[in-house]
Amino acid sequence: MTAPVRIAVTGAAGQICYSMLFRIAAGGMFGPNQPVALQLLEITPAMGVLNAVKMELDDCAFPLLAETICTDDPKTAFSNIDVALFVGAKPRGPGMERSDLLVDNGKIFSSLGKVMNEVANPDVKVCVVGNPANTNAYILKANAPNLNPRNITALTRLDHNRAISQLAEKVGAGVPDIQKMVIWGNHSTTQVPDITHCNVGGKSAAGMVDQAWARDEFIPTVAKRGAAVIDARGSSSAASAGNAVVDHMASWINGTPEGDWVSMSVPSDGSYGIQEGLIYSYPVVCKNGDYEIVQGLAVDDFIAGKMKESEAELREEADAVAAMT
Ligand code: NAX
């Protein structure tokens, strides 16, 4: 019997996890032959709801779900794990400034980072979802120096998927026809969805849409899609975010298809002139359980300017949490 992949998930009683955990347990992340064990972390007041999530997982009788642990102890959650999905975070409350959110979530990610440093396998693969995701990952990385820093990533796959879907609709193509989408930067409204390198059925997307659409409609629509979902639904994207986490990890583990790539926020190595160490979204090719930032893409002045703006925002966020890193 194959040993299960052990996956820690924080914020496991929340909205995103209510969709995501069932997809993972059904084999969506690691495939139909790989058992999984879920190590679910919540804050103490949410343990009742978390136990209800476990009851429902049990009631699905998923053949691949080898074990479900529910805990409010990070040490228990992070021991013996292969993957950690950091979904839990404090939401922005009324009257709260972005800087308050950075500091409040920074406290969560610095303390969980320290526990990861103490008990987690150094090669654990991490995906941070809780917002501000890139800077939370940056804080976690700084507080967990024993971990392989390359493996500390943040989610921009939802933005990548949103961008593919918007372009497919615009040009009347199917999603599988779209290749080489890029999201550069921060998972925020400064992100840079970029169709310059996209192919649609093998033809350049840039030649199929006018530049004004790409700049003035496509970029803001993708960057503000989260807010549009909140307006329509009354709460933030949940099922699509859970789906994106499944996609992010599945690409990382199983690889990207030949001739395509995905967007992942990863520690910058200085590629494209971005400050080293910031968690910045790049196009990456995944192979053998690892990723490489796609090098050598031509970036026009408009996109380059926007990439710098998003980098500047990440630098400001890093400065705001400097005491925790
Ligand atoms: P919910 O508020 O439904 O769930 C969050 C859960 O985290 C709660 O159950 C809470 O008890 C738990 N939690 C809080 N602090 C914790 C801690 N220290 N340890 C363990 N658990 C803790 O939010 P949900 O809709 O699931 O969203 C979760 C996060 O994802 C939010 O920060 C949200 O902003 C972020 N998102 C990120 C996206 C991305 O693409 N990167 C998109 C979707 C979403 O907006």
Side-chain angles (χ1 to χ4, degrees):
M1 168 104 182
T2 316
V5 171
R6 305 198 77 87
I7 308 157
V9 184
T10 76
Q15 289 286 318
I16 292 175
C17 289
Y18 194 61
S19 156
M20 184 184 81
L21 294 175
F22 295 82
R23 297 276 308 279
I24 297 172
M29 192 176 270
F30 296 102
N33 302 313
Q34 175 59 59
V36 293
L38 296 172
Q39 305 196 175
L40 307 179
L41 181 70
E42 260 297 348
I43 52 173
T44 310
M47 287 305 289
V49 179
L50 183 59
N51 285 325
V53 172
K54 180 179 182 312
M55 287 165 73
E56 288 205 64
L57 284 165
D58 290 346
D59 293 349
C60 293
F62 287 118
L64 292 172
L65 184 55
E67 189 181 8
T68 307
I69 295 169
C70 295
T71 182
D72 57 2
D73 172 19
K75 276 193 185 169
T76 305
F78 299 154
S79 291
N80 305 316
I81 51 169
D82 305 293
V83 168
L85 308 174
F86 284 84
V87 183
K90 192 173 163 180
R92 190 159 164 174
M96 223 174 139
E97 296 298 329
R98 192 175 162 82
S99 52
D100 299 330
L101 186 73
L102 276 165
V103 171
D104 281 5
N105 278 304
K107 287 180 196 152
I108 294 176
F109 281 80
S110 60
S111 83
L112 293 182
K114 288 184 175 76
V115 181
M116 286 283 281
N117 199 49
E118 198 186 324
V119 304
N121 150 23
D123 281 322
V124 62
K125 287 181 161 59
V126 173
C127 176
V128 175
V129 181
N131 279 320
N134 296 55
T135 296
N136 287 340
Y138 177 82
I139 295 168
L140 193 145
K141 176 165 68 77
N143 284 276
N146 293 337
L147 305 188
N148 179 354
R150 275 180 66 75
N151 286 353
I152 299 182
T153 71
L155 187 74
T156 28
R157 185 62 171 270
L158 177 54
D159 310 293
H160 180 96
N161 288 347
R162 286 167 171 165
I164 288 176
S165 164
Q166 290 297 322
L167 179 62
E169 191 183 328
K170 174 71 179 172
V171 298
V175 162
D177 296 327
I178 312 281
Q179 290 178 315
K180 298 188 173 177
M181 181 59 73
V182 182
I183 305 291
W184 304 101
N186 194 4
H187 169 69
S188 77
T189 52
T190 70
Q191 67 178 258
V192 194
D194 179 9
I195 63 156
T196 320
H197 313 282
C198 275
N199 291 330
V200 182
K203 293 193 199 125
S204 164
M208 300 171 78
V209 296
D210 59 63
Q211 204 180 50
W213 177 82
R215 290 184 177 184
D216 304 333
E217 280 188 52
F218 169 73
I219 291 178
T221 300
V222 175
K224 294 179 188 163
R225 184 72 166 181
V229 170
I230 292 175
D231 284 347
R233 196 175 109 86
S235 56
S236 60
S237 312
S240 55
N243 174 69
V245 181
V246 169
D247 284 351
H248 177 107
M249 291 308 309
S251 295
W252 190 357
I253 306 278
N254 303 324
T256 40
E258 195 61 38
D260 203 1
W261 59 55
V262 294
S263 303
M264 271 169 73
S265 287
V266 300
S268 171
D269 59 359
S271 292
Y272 298 91
I274 302 304
Q275 180 179 302
E276 213 174 319
L278 292 177
I279 307 286
Y280 195 88
S281 184
Y282 286 107
V284 299
V285 167
C286 304
K287 205 174 171 182
N288 302 327
D290 200 1
Y291 67 83
E292 292 295 338
I293 297 171
V294 177
Q295 298 295 331
L297 297 177
V299 175
D300 67 33
D301 289 348
F302 174 79
I303 296 289
K306 293 193 84 61
M307 286 170 69
K308 279 283 162 205
E309 280 172 30
S310 202
E311 180 196 15
E313 181 182 54
L314 282 169
R315 283 175 189 249
E316 277 168 31
E317 291 184 9
D319 287 347
V321 298
M324 288 182 263
T325 58

